[in-house]
Amino acid sequence: MEKKLLIPILFLLLISAPINTFANTKITYSKTSTNHYIQPLSNITGYKYKTENGKVWKRLWSYTYNRWEDPKWIPL
């Protein structure tokens, strides 16, 4: 009688075991067949600083698009 119960219990334990199905979250850059690179959708920005006549100025730069995001320099 115990053998008849043992097999279904082991089967249920095997089926109910957790399985890791996490996706790889690492961002990779891959080259397509048309020589274009796939880039992430977020815009990576940072401030650039300059000193002019003893006064410090800042301006927002987009590293993703290689362009200025602010229209002009802002004093600190």
Side-chain angles (χ1 to χ4, degrees):
M1 191 71 171
E2 289 181 19
K3 287 184 181 181
K4 288 182 180 179
L5 287 176
L6 183 60
I7 293 175
I9 291 173
L10 288 176
F11 181 73
L12 290 173
L13 287 174
L14 180 66
I15 290 176
S16 66
I19 299 172
N20 289 334
T21 58
F22 298 107
N24 186 3
T25 58
K26 183 179 177 184
I27 296 174
T28 58
Y29 294 92
S30 62
K31 196 173 183 181
T32 62
S33 61
T34 57
N35 291 335
H36 291 94
Y37 287 93
I38 299 170
Q39 295 181 349
L41 296 176
S42 63
N43 187 8
I44 300 168
T45 59
Y47 280 101
K48 300 267 187 167
Y49 298 92
K50 74 173 184 177
T51 303
E52 195 173 280
N53 295 331
K55 194 170 187 179
V56 181
W57 299 75
K58 72 176 182 177
R59 193 171 182 187
L60 190 61
W61 176 258
S62 171
Y63 291 100
T64 306
Y65 302 113
N66 290 324
R67 66 179 184 204
W68 293 113
E69 294 294 323
D70 282 341
K72 55 186 174 180
W73 288 92
I74 301 168
L76 287 181

